[in-house]
Amino acid sequence: MDIAKYIDHTLLKSSATKKEIKNLCEEAIKYKFFSVCVNSFFVPYAKQLLKDSDVKVCATIGFPLGAVRTETKVFETKMAIDQGAEEIDMVLQVGMLKSNDFEMVYEDIKAVKACMGNVPLKVIFEISELSDFQIMKATQLSIKAKADFIKTSTGFSASGATIEAVTLMKKTAEGKAKVKASGGIRDLETALQFIEAGANRIGTSSGVAIVEANNAQH
């Protein structure tokens, strides 16, 4: 298994410096990760650093809370894509999902997807805040809005990905959307467990350690 191709090499902390983003991109090139995942501000810089590589640039939208206006998410998405983002990870409106305002949640995702052309969209759920029913509902709404991936977590909440949530998301999606596990995945054993559970992509800041551990076994 080429585990590097599962990994979105991630740096989303608010204090991330240009030097740290440069290091992230250099590691992504060296280890042949699928993408780097950065806050939308850093998209132009990451794109410049990765221009001679196959590594994609993934931008977060409405991050980390998802609690901005849909129009704001759409504007941020359009700008990120214009500046070179090749995938978008948007945060779902968690509060409206928990308010049972499913129409608003659907329209929020739909509006972002509609402005993206063929760029893949991942919708971040924040599973630590949701019941199993809400995870299933978020999956159904994301698929209805034509999202390409559903994603467990921002990494900024109480906890990250769980095997149980990934299994539930995969089952509910019925092959109509892929699953990204993110948050708290720091070693090879854990990453492999999530892939076994059905994750198509792994979001982690520990990609180097995971790939080096995998290489050491082969």
Side-chain angles (χ1 to χ4, degrees):
M1 177 194 295
D2 185 2
I3 199 165
K5 292 304 179 190
Y6 281 84
I7 292 175
D8 289 343
H9 196 35
T10 302
L11 178 56
L12 295 168
K13 65 181 183 180
S14 62
S15 60
T17 64
K18 286 185 73 176
K19 183 178 179 181
E20 288 173 317
I21 296 293
K22 186 171 187 284
N23 183 59
L24 183 84
C25 292
E26 288 171 348
E27 289 174 345
I29 293 168
K30 178 180 178 180
Y31 291 94
K32 297 182 169 63
F33 294 129
F34 187 88
S35 79
V36 298
C37 187
V38 296
N39 284 300
S40 61
F41 175 85
F42 280 115
V43 166
Y45 187 51
K47 186 68 175 177
Q48 174 194 337
L49 292 166
L50 295 167
K51 66 179 186 294
D52 296 323
S53 79
D54 293 328
V55 180
K56 296 185 184 300
V57 178
C58 172
T60 57
I61 299 297
F63 196 85
L65 303 177
V68 296
R69 301 291 303 177
T70 299
E71 296 86 349
T72 305
K73 289 180 182 176
V74 168
F75 180 84
E76 187 181 13
T77 299
K78 286 179 177 177
M79 178 169 281
I81 291 170
D82 286 346
Q83 294 177 335
E86 296 158 283
E87 292 195 337
I88 296 294
D89 286 22
M90 71 163 280
V91 186
L92 173 142
Q93 229 299 357
V94 182
M96 291 301 98
L97 183 72
K98 290 171 71 74
S99 300
N100 297 326
D101 191 345
F102 302 135
E103 186 65 20
M104 189 276 152
V105 174
Y106 163 69
E107 292 293 344
D108 189 53
I109 302 167
K110 179 184 172 185
V112 171
K113 180 60 181 173
C115 78
M116 291 174 56
N118 294 323
V119 175
L121 172 64
K122 308 188 199 89
V123 180
I124 311 174
F125 288 3
E126 208 67 280
I127 58 163
S128 63
E129 307 298 320
L130 304 177
S131 66
D132 283 358
F133 170 77
Q134 289 164 342
I135 291 170
M136 292 169 66
K137 196 69 186 176
T139 298
Q140 293 162 352
L141 293 168
S142 298
I143 290 168
K144 183 182 176 187
K146 304 288 194 288
D148 302 276
F149 277 80
I150 46 180
K151 177 177 169 182
T152 59
S153 328
T154 62
F156 282 71
S157 191
S159 61
T162 67
I163 296 294
E164 294 77 16
V166 167
T167 302
L168 179 61
M169 290 160 71
K170 191 78 175 179
K171 180 180 179 183
T172 308
E174 297 179 328
K176 295 171 187 169
K178 295 178 181 178
V179 177
K180 177 176 173 180
S182 187
I185 303 171
R186 300 187 180 94
D187 58 65
L188 175 62
E189 183 182 0
T190 307
L192 291 173
Q193 287 172 352
F194 277 102
I195 292 168
E196 178 69 23
N200 306 96
R201 197 82 61 80
I202 302 290
T204 180
S205 57
S206 302
V208 171
I210 290 169
V211 170
E212 287 187 343
N214 190 60
N215 291 344
Q217 291 185 6
H218 296 89

